[in-house]
Amino acid sequence: MTKRKRLLSLGAILLSFSLVMAGCGTKDEGSKTGTAGEDGKITKLVVGTDATYAPMEYMDEKGNIIGIDVDIVNAIAEAAGIEVEYKNYGWEPLFPAVKDGLVDFAVSSITITPDRQKEFDFTNPYFEANQLILVPEDSDVTSFQDLKDKKVAVQINTTGHIVTGELLGKTSSQIVAAETMPIAILEMINGNADAAVGDNAVIIDYQKNNPNVKVKLIEDSSFEKEYYGLMLKKGNTEVMDLLNKGIKIIKENGKLKEITGFDVE
């Protein structure tokens, strides 16, 4: 670096510093609120997801993100009069992406829980789910309690992981925590776990698409109903109101039931 470059005027330094700080202030204040049109109204939102969770969200052969969740968000966006753009982050990186404002909201079969509500805001529920158990066809497991002395595969930090941790202990070595649900199921198929626990839509879809794999489903009434919501950064009321408006419309006009096959309160 030359002496001339090092000896910038104090005024130039202060001006540059002011511009940087102004830019930082803009980024840190409040929450990301999408792309706005000339009238200031939101016209487009960026949506984060984990596209490994068929049939809810996954990639087709062309690399497009598709699934039930995507159909629902597209319907919400149409009802709210906005566009959406999807970005595939993966499950674990999805949460900091929302918190850091890299996306406007996330859809990824995210169950609304008290712990998550401490860190994020959620829309009104748009999907009802419950946990199912998948075991080999010759397994003697008939209930969730039968898994107490078994190895159980789950997707890390999902509801299946949480309820299995409550049964076996949060740090139990009997829990096989995989990055995705398909990998968790594969762990069970390969004999590295005695069962897999996950959301009903995903487990049923796996069995439907793999009829030659010798497995069976176990339902257990002890599993509580859970509800999915769209997840936002805390305080992002503008986007929250827009999404809830869309959810309300597709519930009332029957579009949500058309996509999912059932009503959601």
Side-chain angles (χ1 to χ4, degrees), residues 50-60 64-68 70:
D50 168 26
T52 63
Y53 213 61
M56 301 306 292
E57 44 268 317
Y58 60 103
M59 308 278 275
D60 66 13
N64 300 310
I65 300 174
I66 60 173
I68 294 172
V70 176

Side-chain angles (χ1 to χ4, degrees), residues 127-232:
F127 194 91
E128 181 181 299
N130 64 279
Q131 298 297 296
L132 286 178
I133 305 165
L134 190 69
V135 295
E137 197 172 56
D138 59 355
S139 173
D140 60 356
V141 171
T142 60
S143 71
F144 188 51
Q145 290 298 315
D146 290 342
L147 299 180
K148 276 188 174 180
D149 60 347
K150 308 287 187 182
K151 272 198 166 184
V152 183
V154 297
Q155 181 178 358
I156 190 168
N157 290 338
T158 60
T159 304
H161 193 179
I162 293 169
V163 297
T164 301
E166 291 171 352
L167 179 71
L168 303 179
K170 290 183 179 180
T171 60
S172 173
S173 61
Q174 294 293 92
I175 299 175
V176 181
E179 187 67 27
T180 69
M181 197 63 214
I183 294 176
I185 294 173
L186 192 61
E187 292 282 10
M188 186 267 293
I189 298 297
N190 290 338
N192 298 323
D194 301 297
V197 175
D199 287 356
N200 53 350
V202 179
I203 296 291
I204 290 170
D205 185 71
Y206 175 83
Q207 189 182 44
K208 175 184 175 182
N209 291 314
N210 296 274
N212 296 324
V213 180
K214 305 299 183 181
V215 292
K216 61 182 178 181
L217 295 176
I218 307 294
E219 296 185 44
D220 193 305
S221 59
S222 67
F223 289 131
E224 295 182 4
K225 292 288 184 184
E226 49 191 279
Y227 297 90
Y228 298 163
L230 306 177
M231 188 174 73
L232 300 85

Side-chain angles (χ1 to χ4, degrees), residues 62-127:
K62 295 181 180 179
N64 300 310
I65 300 174
I66 60 173
I68 294 172
D69 269 345
V70 176
D71 290 342
I72 292 171
V73 169
N74 287 342
I76 291 170
E78 183 178 357
I82 57 172
E83 296 180 28
V84 285
E85 175 189 348
Y86 295 92
K87 291 189 176 182
N88 184 23
Y89 275 84
W91 180 250
E92 288 293 289
L94 189 58
F95 293 83
V98 173
K99 189 170 287 187
D100 295 342
L102 300 179
V103 297
D104 296 302
F105 69 95
V107 60
S108 200
S109 305
I110 306 171
T111 301
I112 303 170
T113 68
D115 283 345
R116 287 175 182 161
Q117 286 176 310
K118 293 175 184 176
E119 298 188 60
F120 300 93
D121 285 338
F122 285 87
T123 62
N124 295 329
Y126 68 86
F127 194 91

Side-chain angles (χ1 to χ4, degrees), residues 9-10 18 20 38 40-41 46-47 62 73 105 129 147 154 156 197-198:
S9 71
L10 179 59
S18 298
V20 169
E38 292 181 0
K41 292 182 179 180
V46 177
V47 190
K62 295 181 180 179
V73 169
F105 69 95
L147 299 180
V154 297
I156 190 168
V197 175

